[in-house]
Structure formats: structure tokens, C-alpha cells
């Protein structure tokens, strides 16, 4: 019967240990690459969130400008009275 030292020093035991070390090294390398990719994607997401926020602010600004232009009449701007929108008379019953 062989003792443990002899088994560990046998060529097949060394080959298995080398294979396990190689597999572990490859796994660590893969994990590092995945972490780098996650970090890159997180930076991209942050940039996109900033762009979305800026676009939302621009949309709100444009909506306000649109509403101001939409409500222009001859009384509050240089628009001629002929361009005023006609309003329906209200139905007031006496």
C-alpha cells in the first residue's frame, strides 16, 4: 500500500493537480473579464440615464414653449386678430 506522499508525488496526481490549477486559473480569468464587462455596462447605463434626464428636461421645456405659443392671441402677442381661434359661445340659459 502506498502512503499519501507517494500518491501525491505520482505523475498522475501531479497531472490532475496541474489540470485543476489550470481550470481554476481560467475560471478566475473569466470572472475578471465578466466583472470588467459589468463595470463597462454600468458606466454605459449611467451615461444613458444622464442622457434620458437631459432629454426629459428638454421635453418639459419644449412643452412649456409649445403651450405658450398655443395660447397666443392678438391680445397677448403681435398676432393679428384674424389669427385668433374662434371660441364657441357658451350655452347660458336664462
Amino acid at each position: 500500500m502506498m502512503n499519501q506522499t507517494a500518491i501525491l508525488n505520482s505523475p498522475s496526481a501531479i497531472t490532475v493537480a496541474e489540470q485543476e490549477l489550470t481550470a481554476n486559473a481560467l475560471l478566475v480569468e473569466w470572472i475578471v473579464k465578466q466583472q470588467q464587462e459589468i463595470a463597462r455596462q454600468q458606466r454605459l447605463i449611467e451615461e444613458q440615464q444622464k442622457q434620458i434626464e437631459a432629454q426629459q428636461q428638454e421635453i418639459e421645456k419644449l412643452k412649456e414653449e409649445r403651450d405658450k405659443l398655443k395660447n397666443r392671441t392678438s391680445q397677448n402677442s403681435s398676432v393679428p386678430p384674424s389669427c385668433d381661434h374662434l371660441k364657441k359661445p357658451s350655452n347660458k340659459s336664462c
Side-chain angles (χ1 to χ4, degrees), residues 8-58:
L8 291 176
N9 290 330
S10 72
S12 63
I14 292 173
T15 303
V16 170
E18 287 174 345
Q19 289 174 347
E20 287 178 359
L21 283 174
T22 302
N24 286 342
L26 291 173
L27 184 58
V28 167
E29 184 180 330
W30 179 82
I31 290 170
V32 168
K33 286 181 180 179
Q34 293 302 309
Q35 288 173 332
Q36 290 170 343
E37 178 63 17
I38 289 170
R40 185 189 70 78
Q41 289 180 356
Q42 285 175 333
R43 286 190 304 272
L44 180 63
I45 289 169
E46 289 170 3
E47 289 173 15
Q48 290 173 337
Q49 286 174 332
K50 288 178 185 177
Q51 288 176 346
I52 289 170
E53 289 172 8
Q55 289 171 344
Q56 286 174 334
Q57 289 175 353
E58 181 69 16

Side-chain angles (χ1 to χ4, degrees), residues 65-82:
E65 288 179 21
R66 177 205 60 196
D67 290 343
K68 286 179 185 178
L69 291 173
K70 197 175 183 181
N71 295 326
R72 286 189 345 179
T73 66
S74 60
Q75 295 177 358
N76 61 14
S77 70
S78 61
V79 174
S82 61

